[in-house]
Amino acid sequence: MSFQLPDLPYAYEALEPHIDSLTMNIHHTKHHNTYITNVNGVLGGENGAPIKGLSLEAMQGAVSTLPDNIKTAVRNSGGGHYNHCMFWTVMGGVGTANSAPFGELKEKIDGTFGALDEMKKLFNTAAATRFGSGWAWLCVAEDKSLYITSTPNQDNPLMTGIADKPGTPILGLDVWEHAYYLKYRNLRADYIAAFWNVVNWDKVVENYESALSGGTAVFDVPLA
């Protein structure tokens, strides 16, 4: 088994003007592809036995238990692969999906945070204040409550034993500089604000429903 780069569910230019096509192309074909190459290197190497046969999701939860000789590589590159597979799917071109949460997720957001705008403020703060590189997440906790968190580098809340608050992410935002610097330079807050224009709430709702039933975010993980 080896992982392959998934196709984007839209063209590179589909998120314009909020996220530019050149950034999307480089982010997908270079950065994401490098994570795949590196985790495949572990899978195919002499030390890869502990992760052989694991799904990408299961690999996240196993990171803290892995031997030291592969733990960092799987944490960084396996995490990077998972995070990006999810990231691409929670975005979509303007007008291609619902522009706001709906159904049970809307009710849960309103009940937890007061309103969507209040949730966005907390999420934006988590993304803006993540020092250095990392991610901001909207997650479902074990007790089915919603919460917002951030993680460094390519960590994610599925990494039990590593994440400050483990849970199931249903929406994530990449705040590594390579995700926004060509267009937004050092203005991370502007990039974060623009992100809400391309959130695919249909997918976030699907992820929420999956999390409630004990699953994880819904996306394809192509294998060779």
Side-chain angles (χ1 to χ4, degrees):
M1 178 192 81
S2 61
F3 296 114
Q4 292 185 307
L5 184 69
D7 293 332
L8 292 186
Y10 40 75
Y12 290 122
E13 65 271 17
L15 307 185
E16 294 271 11
H18 309 291
I19 301 179
D20 61 286
S21 60
L22 180 58
T23 292
M24 288 298 298
N25 188 312
I26 295 171
H27 198 170
H28 179 241
T29 64
K30 304 300 182 185
H31 292 280
H32 188 180
N33 203 40
T34 296
Y35 296 125
I36 294 170
T37 298
N38 291 343
V39 73
N40 281 342
V42 178
L43 274 167
E46 60 182 13
N47 299 313
I51 60 170
K52 280 185 168 63
L54 293 182
S55 68
L56 184 59
E57 291 85 356
M59 197 177 291
Q60 310 308 300
V63 165
S64 66
T65 68
L66 295 177
D68 289 343
N69 59 358
I70 63 170
K71 180 183 293 184
T72 298
V74 175
R75 180 178 179 177
N76 291 341
S77 295
H81 184 27
Y82 181 90
N83 295 348
H84 285 85
C85 283
M86 179 180 174
F87 184 48
W88 308 136
T89 64
V90 297
M91 296 187 293
V94 175
T96 63
N98 278 283
S99 59
F102 54 91
E104 288 186 34
L105 178 58
K106 180 184 185 305
E107 294 176 5
K108 194 69 172 180
I109 287 173
D110 290 346
T112 302
F113 304 105
L116 177 61
D117 284 346
E118 295 305 310
M119 186 276 283
K120 287 182 179 179
K121 289 177 184 177
L122 293 173
F123 189 99
N124 291 355
T125 298
T129 58
R130 166 48 57 187
F131 181 76
S133 301
W135 293 74
W137 307 97
L138 175 65
C139 301
V140 177
E142 186 176 356
D143 64 1
K144 310 305 181 186
S145 62
L146 285 179
Y147 70 95
I148 289 166
T149 190
S150 71
T151 55
N153 303 315
Q154 294 298 345
D155 289 358
N156 61 61
L158 291 177
M159 295 180 178
T160 54
I162 291 176
D164 289 340
K165 187 170 184 180
T168 303
I170 62 172
L171 174 67
L173 174 60
D174 187 346
V175 292
W176 283 63
E177 287 186 346
H178 64 240
Y180 63 88
Y181 215 80
L182 288 178
K183 180 175 178 67
Y184 293 99
R185 301 299 190 266
N186 62 314
L187 303 177
R188 183 190 285 191
D190 288 358
Y191 160 69
I192 295 166
F195 170 68
W196 296 109
N197 294 297
V198 296
V199 169
N200 178 355
W201 285 105
D202 291 342
K203 176 57 67 173
V204 182
V205 166
E206 184 181 12
N207 291 343
Y208 176 66
E209 292 171 348
S210 176
L212 290 182
S213 63
T216 56
V218 181
F219 53 77
D220 293 329
V221 181
L223 303 172

